[in-house]
Structures are given as structure tokens and as C-alpha cells.
Amino acid sequence: MRDRKSWNVPASTFAKNTFNPIRNIIENMQIVPHPDKPMIALSIGDPTVFGNLKPAPEIVEAVVEATRRGSCNGYVSSAGTEAARAAVAKYCSVEDKLELQAKDVVLCSGCSCALDMCITALCSPGQNLLVPRPGFPIYTTLAVGLGVQTKDYNLLPERSWEIDLEMLEASIDDQTAAIVVNNPSNPCGSVYSKEHLIAILEVAARNKVPIIADEIYDHFVFEGQEYHPIASLTEEVPVLSCGGLTKRFLVPGWRMGWITICDRGNVLDQEVRNGLQSLSQRIIGSNTLVQGALPTILANTPQSFFTDTLAQIQANAELSYSILREVPGMNPIMPQGAMYMMVGVDMTMFPGLKNDLELVERLISEESVFCLPGKCFDCPNYMRIVLTVPEPQLREACNRIIAFCSRHHASAHVNGLAHANGHVNGCEAESFKNVEKAMVVEVKSGSE
Ligand SMILES: Cc1ncc(COP(=O)(O)O)c(C=O)c1O
């Protein structure tokens, strides 16, 4: 019998090692909005929160129908029903380039779960995983808990956030279990060309390292851009691609994601396929109502729904880019897809603010505009804005960012014009006057 005199119930090492850097940073931030200004959250990567972007009726109807059918209430195979997996295989196949079958698909509870399973299936404690910087922090959250180290490779802002391929290759060592490639990207909104994806695959092939492709923003690209699933461009490199309904179909809460096993060289047949099957048994599969609706959703969602959603996001990207690029000290980088834009902040132009974190905090307290600091993506001197907000709110947010910058810019300090009260002041800096004038015209025309 165990001799315990008092209660001592520690959390497991796994639980203690698991942390989300964004949560950590946000929980320690001063988030006190200006009392007279309604908050505009340009921070939340959930396209449904503002109510302007809704799933197509066909998508909703498919789940209603699956519910009524009454045959989707029980347990199914932990990797998903044959019909749902076959539908995903068809949806993710690329004619003559990538032919997938139901056996190549594992359904998961959202793309996060798909990433979790891929990282767990490929990486053992003590190994490392290469991840993009700036990048979505969940890769590190998932890996570190398992005792897997993440090594960052840089994305290059001056090359529309392409991967620094030399750094990527130099980071690979004997313990590298996989490379995570996120395209289109959160937080950058970049969309890689076929040539760049092939160059990434060449690095992977030379070093015999598999790829985990985070393709949750598949097809989510602006007019004139083309999306290429990375697995469609290789016959050699094994790719586990993670996707789902979350973003493109505007239903993040439905928690439907998937892994497609793309492995023309049959490298993953030896162990990893079975590993993924075993791991799927830990959660006994994903939501069966959405599985029941999946064949209809993937086949019947009208193209016009995707086009309309993207047109709104692209218009917001163009609007905020064209405004913010004129603001001294701000350097937005125009995205090519997804739903985010990174905005560089030249902190030397804001001498009263310590870093991007303080800039973001003061933007909240003075203007009630909430952007995520670059620190959340391990990328100082940037902030990320989401582009899914309704257009009038985005204009208003840009307007407030201009007012904020005009108060804190070095030129305002030199002229002794920096005000602490959070209201627009009479900054004399010519550049700001021009931007503000342009904004007044824009806002008037936009509200008509
Ligand atoms: C790059 C990226 N990967 C994965 C996810 C997670 O997607 P899901 O909500 O389907 O788990 C997100 C969500 O924001 C994301 O931005």
C-alpha cells in the first residue's frame, strides 16, 4: 500500500511542457481599451466572429440533412467513414499529379489535430522539427510537449516571405524528423510559386526529410495567384498534408480536418501509415455529423461562394495596404492570400515606445484597436492584422492607427506634440497631415 499522508497531485510532465506562446503573451499584455472607443479586434483569426462572412447555405444544409438522416450518430472507424475519406481524397487529388484514395486520408478534429497527429507520428523525443519564422505557434506547442525541439527557419519579408532556403538546409541535422511548410501562410498571407515549392522539395529530397504541409488555407488565394498543393509537385518526397473545412468553408467550430498521406515512393508505408492509424484511435475519430455531410459539402459548395469570400478579403487587403503604406513608420507587406497581413513597424520612428509589444498595448489603450504583436510569431518589429473584419471597421481601424502613429512618431516628439490623452492632436508633421486628409476623403466615400 502507498504511504501518502497528504494530497499531492502534480500535472504530468507532458501537460507542464505544453504551452501556447500566443496565449502566454496575450495573458501578460495590458489589454485595456479606450473607454470612449468601441474595440476593433484585428487580432482574431476566426472569420466568423464579425458576422460578415458566413458559410454557404449548401454547407449548412448538408449538415442539417446528415442530422435528419439519422445514420450519422454512432461511432465510425477512427480514421473516418469510407465515404467521407473518399470525398476528401477526391477533393485533394490533382489530375495526373496527385492521385489519392480513401486509404490515404485520416479525418481529424480540425487541422490542429491533424498537425498533432503528424508531428506525433513522425517525431520522437530528442529529435527536431523545422518550422517557419514568422509562423503559426501551434507547431512549437505540439512539438515541445512531446520533447521534440523546434528549429526556426526564416521567411524573408523582402521576398514576399519566401523561405530562406540556405538557412532551411543548414538547419537540417541527423535528428531532423520533418520540415513544416505552411502555404498559404498564417501570419504572412504569402502564397508560394510553383518554382519556390519545387526548390523547397529539392532541399527535402537532398536531405531525405519528409514534409508536413500545413495547407489549411488551400485555394485561399487572391485573384491572379495560383495555389499548388506541395505534394502535387514531387514524386519523391513523402508529404503529410494537413487541411480541413475550417477556413475555406468558414466553419472553424465544426472541427473537421484531415491528413492526406501523399507518398508516391511508398516511404511511409513501412511504419508511418500504421502509426497514424494507431494515433487516430486515441480520439476515436472526428464528428460524425460533419463526416456525413462532407461528400456533399466538398462536391456541391458553389464556386461563387469561394470567389465572393476571397473578393471581400482581397479588397480589405488592398484597402489596408494602400492606407498603411503611407503612414510613416509602418511598412505593410501585401499578402497574396489567406486572411492576414503583416505590418512592419520601424520602432526607431517611435522613440517613446519600447517595442512592438508596447506599441500594440498603447494602440489598444489609446485607440481600442487590437493587433497581434510580432512577438506572438517570434518576429519582432511587426504586427499582424486580420482581414476578415467588415470593411467600415477596417477603415476606422486604419484611421485610428494613423492618429496613433501621428502622436507617437519621432516628428511629433521633436515638435513637442506628443499627447498622452489618446485623442487626435494637431500634429504638424506634413506626412501625417497628408495621410489624414486622404483618409477623411476615403472614409467619406466609403460610407456613401
Ligand atoms: C496555419 C494554421 N494552421 C492550422 C490552424 C488550425 O486550424 P483548425 O482550427 O482547423 O484546427 C490554423 C488556425 O488558425 C492556422 O492558421
Side-chain angles (χ1 to χ4, degrees):
M1 191 144 114
R2 297 166 109 178
D3 185 20
R4 285 189 183 162
K5 301 277 181 282
S6 61
W7 283 99
N8 176 24
V9 186
S12 69
T13 313
F14 178 57
K16 282 196 253 187
N17 286 347
T18 301
F19 73 101
N20 179 334
I22 293 199
R23 280 260 128 55
N24 256 11
I25 293 167
I26 291 180
E27 272 159 22
N28 290 316
M29 268 173 74
Q30 296 283 336
I31 303 180
V32 186
H34 190 285
D36 300 334
K37 297 177 186 177
M39 183 78 144
I40 306 179
L42 301 184
S43 52
I44 311 171
D46 177 346
T48 69
V49 286
F50 297 95
N52 54 329
L53 297 173
K54 294 194 173 66
E58 291 82 352
I59 300 173
V60 177
E61 232 6 86
V63 177
V64 172
E65 196 281 316
T67 311
R68 289 223 175 89
R69 218 184 303 151
S71 58
C72 304
N73 299 329
Y75 291 120
V76 297
S77 149
S78 60
T81 62
E82 177 76 15
R85 285 187 293 140
V88 172
K90 188 166 177 221
Y91 172 77
C92 294
S93 291
V94 181
E95 208 180 340
D96 296 334
K97 290 189 181 148
L98 179 62
E99 273 161 35
L100 297 164
Q101 297 165 24
K103 71 171 179 47
D104 303 318
V105 177
V106 179
L107 299 182
C108 308
S109 180
C111 182
S112 322
C113 175
L115 289 162
D116 188 19
M117 281 170 59
C118 292
I119 294 172
T120 310
L122 289 175
C123 310
S124 296
Q127 288 194 300
N128 63 66
L129 176 71
L130 306 193
V131 300
R133 172 176 53 204
F136 189 53
I138 202 174
Y139 314 129
T140 303
T141 304
L142 297 172
V144 171
L146 292 170
V148 174
Q149 186 205 351
T150 49
K151 290 167 84 175
D152 296 327
Y153 61 81
N154 286 343
L155 307 182
L156 303 169
E158 66 280 11
R159 296 182 54 116
S160 301
W161 300 109
E162 281 190 349
I163 295 176
D164 178 342
L165 292 170
E166 270 178 33
M167 183 178 186
L168 176 70
E169 189 147 20
S171 306
I172 298 173
D173 62 26
D174 287 347
Q175 292 304 320
T176 302
I179 303 169
V180 174
V181 178
N182 174 213
N183 176 57
S185 150
N186 175 10
C188 303
S190 51
V191 177
Y192 292 152
S193 65
K194 191 193 265 189
E195 293 69 33
H196 189 56
L197 290 166
I198 289 172
I200 298 166
L201 286 162
E202 282 168 0
V203 173
R206 261 197 303 280
N207 295 279
K208 306 286 177 280
V209 184
I211 287 179
I212 298 174
D214 181 348
E215 298 182 325
I216 188 65
Y217 297 95
D218 65 338
H219 305 283
F220 219 97
V221 304
F222 298 161
E223 215 183 317
Q225 302 289 332
E226 216 178 325
Y227 164 71
H228 302 279
I230 193 167
S232 68
L233 303 174
T234 180
E235 303 224 330
E236 180 186 351
V237 180
V239 176
L240 295 180
S241 170
C242 301
L245 292 184
T246 301
K247 306 289 179 177
R248 191 172 186 223
F249 295 82
L250 301 175
V251 287
W254 288 9
R255 312 309 300 139
M256 176 49 69
W258 51 74
I259 302 166
T260 50
I261 304 169
C262 313
D263 179 31
R264 278 189 267 185
N266 300 325
V267 176
L268 303 178
D269 277 358
Q270 295 157 20
E271 288 190 356
V272 176
R273 261 177 201 276
N274 285 342
L276 287 169
Q277 283 296 335
S278 306
L279 290 172
S280 74
Q281 288 158 16
R282 286 165 57 98
I283 57 158
I284 329 217
S286 64
N287 186 308
T288 50
L289 290 177
V290 186
Q291 286 192 39
L294 210 44
T296 310
I297 292 174
L298 296 179
N300 293 1
T301 302
Q303 188 55 38
S304 57
F305 162 74
F306 301 125
T307 318
D308 291 351
T309 307
L310 276 161
Q312 285 187 56
I313 295 174
Q314 181 167 0
N316 276 351
E318 283 162 1
L319 173 80
S320 46
Y321 175 76
S322 66
I323 296 172
L324 296 178
R325 70 198 279 231
E326 301 299 331
V327 180
M330 294 270 139
N331 178 25
I333 298 181
M334 182 63 191
Q336 297 131 1
M339 39 178 76
Y340 313 95
M341 181 164 75
M342 287 290 264
V343 181
V345 279
D346 180 354
M347 292 309 301
T348 61
M349 293 291 132
F350 303 102
L353 303 171
K354 271 201 308 285
N355 50 32
D356 57 272
L357 199 60
E358 192 185 354
L359 184 141
V360 164
E361 284 177 344
R362 296 283 290 273
L363 194 51
I364 300 168
S365 63
E366 295 178 24
E367 297 293 345
S368 302
V369 173
F370 188 2
C371 306
L372 276 192
K375 198 171 179 227
C376 289
F377 308 99
D378 205 6
C379 187
N381 301 327
Y382 279 89
M383 59 185 194
R384 187 199 75 174
I385 66 174
V386 303
L387 301 168
T388 47
V389 290
E391 193 237 45
Q393 283 191 49
L394 188 63
R395 277 181 191 274
E396 171 63 17
C398 289
N399 208 1
R400 294 191 204 167
I401 292 173
I402 294 171
F404 176 87
C405 289
S406 74
R407 282 196 305 278
H408 291 280
H409 194 266
S411 59
H413 280 254
V414 169
N415 294 325
L417 290 165
H419 283 204
N421 64 6
H423 292 286
V424 179
N425 63 33
C427 175
E428 282 171 14
E430 243 351 91
S431 42
F432 280 107
K433 271 192 172 171
N434 292 339
V435 180
E436 281 171 356
K437 261 193 231 148
M439 268 311 293
V440 172
V441 174
E442 289 251 359
V443 169
K444 274 192 183 149
S445 64
S447 55
E448 271 160 15

